[in-house]
Amino acid sequence: MGAGIAEVSARAGCDVVVVEANQAFATAGRERVAKSLARAESKGKITSAAEVLDRIRVLTDLEELADRELVIEAIAEDERAKVELFSRLDMIVESDDAVLSSNTSSIPIMKLAVATRRPAQVLGVHFFNPVPVLSLVELVPSLLTSPKTTERVRAFVQDDLGKHTIDCQDRAGFIVNALLIPFVLSAIRMFESGFATAEDIDQGLVRGAAHPQGPLALADLIGLDTTKAVAESLYEEFKEPLYAPPPLLARMVDAGLLGRKTGRGFYTYT
């Protein structure tokens, strides 16, 4: 997600700084963006991949974000880690007008906002994967986010990035995942019970409901660890059984079977 957000921002002409946890991740991240840009150039979507890539610096020191106007956090879906990061960003980013935003899929924005001294400038900005392809961005203000902050970010996302925004209340899961995750979990429970194979469940939705891909293939694309984390956030907030992660999902995450990114989930990938 971070690589995709960096790419679309650079394609819009922005000066982009990406901070990764270590040099290995930084190298891999830059290579990921370079490959994506090369594909875009080969399809005629951009004129020069090298020119866009020159606008992106991939570094390993958070202090490099000190002069940024907008920071978009896209680390793992872990509330404690995100809260800690926002507290650090608040101390590092120098401009009083800078916006600190999160690409979280489900964690309430208020929990991140109160970790800073600038809650009026903290906002959820939730992109969808793959970022260069999907046009939707959810904007999620907390009770303390100023209308000015929301409108500044809306203008950037719509006018500069060319995305479509929808407004969400600060509730776990926002709009899309609050609807999507229970659907995915229902498919996992169906597979877990032996009711049908993964292939038949997915083909049923693709061929019978015109979905672009089935719910189990979608879970593999999202990442089973992320699917589980979002489900847990939803269940913690609403205490509805339909949000509780099925045992099979928990076991697969424990086993490291996370979907496409590990080569195996409900399907095997080469």
Side-chain angles (χ1 to χ4, degrees), residues 104-227:
T104 178
S105 303
S106 61
I107 294 169
I109 302 304
M110 182 62 77
K111 295 185 177 182
L112 308 179
V114 297
T116 76
R117 300 165 299 173
R118 58 180 99 187
Q121 290 148 250
V122 176
L123 180 74
V125 184
H126 182 218
F127 292 80
F128 289 81
N129 192 31
V131 178
V133 176
L134 297 184
S135 63
L136 183 65
V137 175
E138 293 178 317
L139 297 184
V140 192
S142 78
L143 292 173
L144 299 177
T145 305
S146 72
K148 177 183 177 182
T149 295
T150 303
E151 293 312 312
R152 282 179 64 199
V153 176
R154 187 193 311 281
F156 170 69
V157 171
Q158 292 184 168
D159 299 341
D160 295 338
L161 302 188
K163 301 291 188 183
H164 180 85
T165 61
I166 58 176
D167 295 337
C168 313
Q169 291 192 18
D170 187 18
R171 302 290 185 271
F174 316 135
I175 292 175
V176 174
N177 279 316
L179 295 170
L180 178 64
I181 293 300
F183 166 66
V184 171
L185 298 180
S186 180
I188 295 173
R189 292 188 186 97
M190 178 175 282
F191 174 68
E192 182 179 43
S193 72
F195 191 93
T197 65
E199 291 81 0
D200 285 348
I201 292 168
D202 280 354
Q203 285 299 301
L205 272 296
V206 170
R207 297 179 180 275
H211 288 207
Q213 62 182 324
L216 299 178
L218 177 59
D220 278 355
L221 176 62
I222 295 169
L224 301 192
D225 52 342
T226 301
T227 301

Side-chain angles (χ1 to χ4, degrees), residues 48-61:
S48 172
E51 182 178 322
V52 176
L53 193 60
D54 282 345
R55 299 192 191 108
I56 302 174
R57 289 173 285 155
V58 186
L59 309 169
T60 58
D61 185 358

